[in-house]
Amino acid sequence: MKIVFFLIVSCCPPLLYGQATAQGDTSYNIIVNATNSVSEMTKAQISNLFLKKVTKWGNGKTVLPVNLGQSSVIRKQFSKEVIGKATPVLEAYWQQQVFSGREVPPLEKLSAAEVIKYIQDNPDAIGYISKATKLGKSKVKILRIKK
Amino acid sequence: MSALTRSLSVLILFFAISDGFAQQLEKVYIHGFGSWGYGRTDSNKYLFGVEGGEYDYLDFALAVTAKPKENLQVKAQLYWNADDDGTEAAVDYAFAEWRFSDILRLRIGQVKHPFGIYGEIFDVGILRPFFALPSSVYNETGISAEAYKGAGFTGFLQTVNDWGLGYDIYVGELNLDSENPIRYFGELNENEEGFGEEHNIKDILGGRVTIDVPIDGLKLGISGYSGKEENTAERHSVYGVHGEYLSNVWSVRSEYYRQIDGDELKLNAFYFEMARKFSRNWQIAARLERLNTVLPEVDTREAPSLLKHRENVIGINYWFNSYFVLKLSYHHVDGNRFAKPEALDAALLNHTLKEQTDLFIFGAQFAF
């Protein structure tokens, strides 16, 4: 059901215009390329993208999640609130994925500026940055978290 | 000290002081893991422990993943292992994966055996609470192989209300590094043909289904396969259930399997292990194992302990972080299915076989 909804969200964003959504009380923004047709997602959907359980957007393109560096406070908060796992549990998850030959973890960028640049350069990327980071004229947009 | 041992020691030191190093390029990813261990028993040889102590256990693996094209991944893992029996190098897996979608991926080559909880992470010590895997299932029982050669499909489907369904189905050949205990009774019974330590199981059909339930960290599954033993043409079948619960504090795992080799051998294997972290660094763990082997056509009254393995283990670990851990464990073993004296034949003839074995293991395990 979630997958069906995800596809609808991805393919038909106009259907969702005007829906009331609220950003949670977080210190990060989730961002995608400005050309991405997706405007909002649930935390569970975002989590599945960053765990690579779901690897395709609704249009069939491969999702490119990008993490901040391992020591980032924003990453720790994102992992806990969106993915719902503490850092050691997530690290073990990725070790298991890698050494079983299943999947590799998302790319890491060490700064918000690098995350923004990567998402600007890759239309299918998704990342997160501190809320305090100014987006300026960058070609990225903030994804609403649907409750 | 061999050149390999020296090289690996340097690598261990390097990775031990690196905090989660991993080489990550845009399209090529390199990761690795390894272990060093010391084992000491009071009598029999068991795992890499011997009477008087043994420092030589060492292993190291490098995993490479390349994504040359969208939907195509090529993966390989090389593995080196050294102990007092010598040094071996092997290809853990090498295969190509084509991703049609998240629920349908084709894998061809030598693929990690999707079996149970530890089948795909057989040698990855950093992912378990004890230095060694449960012998009842993962020692030379003939239950789990390290990889299959052939082709398979795998996928994951996220369903409603946080339920998830993962599956694997595969065909090909399994190379089981197993020891059939009938060889010992064969000698006693003047009948020991075709029971070497390597078994090729051909024309296998196997699969695994795992279910992620809405309780975060809980996963249940069933695994099994069946094929023909190359030398004896006996059908070799294994099936069973497994479950694990992983949280920030707890890790609980259990598996049960039944193996049937025609009319020749039947076994039941079970273990239950749990571990709890008491701080960011300290973890205690306990495990209980049972393995019963039955050889219906052989008189085993001469040495029934060769068919039995019962093990209780306790351990304490110190985690520097998720990439480096020190482990200390005490194992009490009842039975000689795996714990045996170096001179087994003499012990059998002289009736001096010691059925109880105590083992201490201390070691370090790491990954990057």
Side-chain angles (χ1 to χ4, degrees):
Chain A
M1 192 66 185
K2 280 185 178 174
I3 288 176
V4 172
F5 182 74
F6 178 51
L7 292 173
I8 292 170
V9 167
S10 306
C11 300
C12 310
L15 293 176
L16 299 160
Y17 289 167
Q19 279 195 356
T21 57
Q23 184 86 15
D25 183 20
T26 60
S27 59
Y28 50 82
N29 281 323
I30 294 160
I31 56 174
V32 293
N33 190 286
T35 62
N36 195 318
S37 60
V38 178
S39 297
E40 65 175 8
M41 298 177 81
T42 64
K43 283 184 177 179
Q45 289 170 329
I46 297 166
S47 170
N48 283 337
L49 298 184
F50 277 84
L51 292 175
K52 294 195 176 179
K53 289 181 175 178
V54 174
T55 64
K56 302 284 186 187
W57 292 106
N59 60 10
K61 294 285 189 182
T62 300
V63 182
L64 300 172
V66 55
N67 268 322
L68 283 166
Q70 291 190 352
S71 57
S72 163
V73 176
I74 298 297
R75 175 171 170 172
K76 287 189 174 104
Q77 189 183 5
F78 172 82
S79 299
K80 193 173 177 185
E81 293 180 5
V82 176
I83 300 178
K85 296 183 191 300
T87 301
V89 178
L90 261 182
E91 287 170 338
Y93 171 84
W94 282 115
Q95 285 170 351
Q96 173 145 10
Q97 292 292 306
V98 166
F99 297 125
S100 60
R102 292 204 165 262
E103 199 43 275
V104 291
L107 202 65
E108 283 181 9
K109 297 293 179 185
L110 295 179
S111 68
E114 287 182 59
V115 170
I116 292 170
K117 182 175 185 315
Y118 182 77
I119 293 174
Q120 279 190 147
D121 294 344
N122 295 278
D124 302 310
I126 179 170
Y128 52 87
I129 53 174
S130 166
K131 240 177 187 172
T133 304
K134 304 288 184 195
L135 293 179
K137 293 181 180 176
S138 61
K139 293 172 183 169
V140 301
K141 66 180 182 183
I142 296 170
L143 204 64
R144 289 192 297 272
I145 298 177
K146 186 168 174 282
K147 284 195 173 176
Chain B
M1 182 185 261
S2 70
L4 176 66
T5 307
R6 281 197 300 274
S7 306
L8 290 177
S9 301
V10 172
L11 281 168
I12 288 168
L13 183 64
F14 173 74
F15 294 123
I17 59 176
S18 305
D19 182 13
F21 169 88
Q23 187 66 38
Q24 184 187 49
L25 306 173
E26 290 282 335
K27 291 185 175 179
V28 179
Y29 303 80
I30 301 172
H31 295 82
F33 62 86
S35 305
W36 168 81
Y38 168 81
R40 184 186 186 106
T41 69
D42 63 337
S43 55
N44 295 318
K45 183 178 181 184
Y46 177 50
L47 298 175
F48 55 88
V50 297
E51 188 175 8
E54 181 64 66
Y55 290 89
D56 284 350
Y57 184 86
L58 192 62
D59 66 22
F60 182 72
L62 272 182
V64 181
T65 300
K67 296 182 173 180
K69 296 285 181 186
E70 188 173 2
N71 297 327
L72 175 63
Q73 295 192 13
V74 178
K75 309 171 189 202
Q77 185 165 289
L78 303 175
Y79 177 73
W80 294 267
N81 168 260
D83 58 23
D84 66 330
D85 292 331
T87 300
E88 69 163 321
V91 177
D92 261 354
Y93 59 75
F95 65 94
E97 177 182 290
W98 182 262
R99 187 170 302 196
F100 295 100
S101 68
D102 292 325
I103 59 172
L104 187 65
R105 304 180 192 186
L106 170 66
R107 308 170 118 197
I108 292 185
Q110 180 170 316
V111 185
K112 268 290 182 189
H113 191 194
F115 183 88
I117 293 173
Y118 288 118
E120 290 183 307
I121 46 171
F122 205 88
D123 298 308
V124 193
I126 200 86
L127 287 172
R128 56 185 184 240
F130 290 101
F131 193 94
L133 282 172
S135 286
S136 56
V137 173
Y138 294 99
N139 206 324
E140 295 178 345
T141 53
I143 292 178
S144 177
E146 293 207 35
Y148 71 82
K149 292 172 186 165
F153 288 103
T154 186
F156 182 83
L157 176 65
Q158 189 76 38
T159 55
V160 291
N161 300 326
D162 292 333
W163 288 80
L165 179 73
Y167 78 92
D168 285 271
I169 184 165
Y170 51 92
V171 294
E173 176 185 296
L174 282 177
N175 182 245
L176 291 171
D177 193 15
S178 67
E179 183 187 65
N180 190 329
I182 202 168
R183 62 191 305 197
Y184 303 112
F185 300 102
E187 189 168 301
L188 296 174
N189 289 289
E190 299 177 352
N191 175 24
E192 58 164 347
E193 289 182 2
F195 302 107
E197 295 189 2
E198 280 201 357
H199 298 244
N200 283 332
I201 311 297
K202 289 189 170 291
D203 305 329
I204 54 156
L205 171 63
R208 180 179 68 178
V209 176
T210 57
I211 297 170
D212 289 7
V213 301
I215 301 168
D216 191 32
L218 181 61
K219 186 184 285 190
L220 306 171
I222 55 173
S223 295
Y225 63 88
S226 184
K228 277 194 174 176
E229 214 281 346
E230 188 176 36
N231 292 330
T232 63
E234 289 274 14
R235 179 150 290 278
H236 176 89
S237 302
V238 177
Y239 56 88
V241 295
H242 41 92
E244 68 178 336
Y245 172 72
L246 305 176
S247 73
N248 295 341
V249 174
W250 289 96
S251 72
V252 182
R253 296 177 176 94
S254 187
E255 301 187 64
Y256 166 78
Y257 295 102
R258 181 162 175 77
Q259 176 185 328
I260 302 171
D261 287 3
D263 296 328
E264 174 192 298
L265 180 148
K266 293 178 173 57
L267 66 78
N268 293 292
F270 167 82
Y271 77 86
F272 176 84
E273 73 179 14
M274 58 192 302
R276 188 184 195 283
K277 270 193 166 177
F278 281 93
S279 68
R280 285 182 64 183
N281 306 109
W282 290 100
Q283 181 186 44
I284 60 167
R287 185 167 73 210
L288 180 147
E289 298 183 46
R290 297 290 183 265
L291 171 68
N292 290 316
T293 310
V294 178
L295 304 175
E297 298 177 335
V298 177
D299 181 359
T300 60
R301 286 173 296 177
E302 191 79 20
S305 69
L306 287 170
L307 300 178
K308 183 173 73 172
H309 179 81
R310 295 185 174 193
E311 182 172 352
N312 300 321
V313 195
I314 53 171
I316 185 165
N317 306 323
Y318 184 85
W319 293 82
F320 289 88
N321 55 35
S322 302
Y323 301 89
F324 184 34
V325 59
L326 301 180
K327 295 180 179 175
L328 176 67
S329 57
Y330 164 71
H331 307 237
H332 177 73
V333 179
D334 178 18
N336 299 108
R337 178 73 202 269
F338 306 116
K340 299 186 184 81
E342 296 272 12
L344 177 61
D345 290 344
L348 287 170
L349 285 172
N350 300 328
H351 300 284
T352 56
L353 184 61
K354 193 176 176 199
E355 295 184 12
Q356 313 272 323
T357 306
D358 292 315
L359 165 70
F360 284 95
I361 290 179
F362 171 73
Q365 294 178 310
F366 49 87
F368 67 93

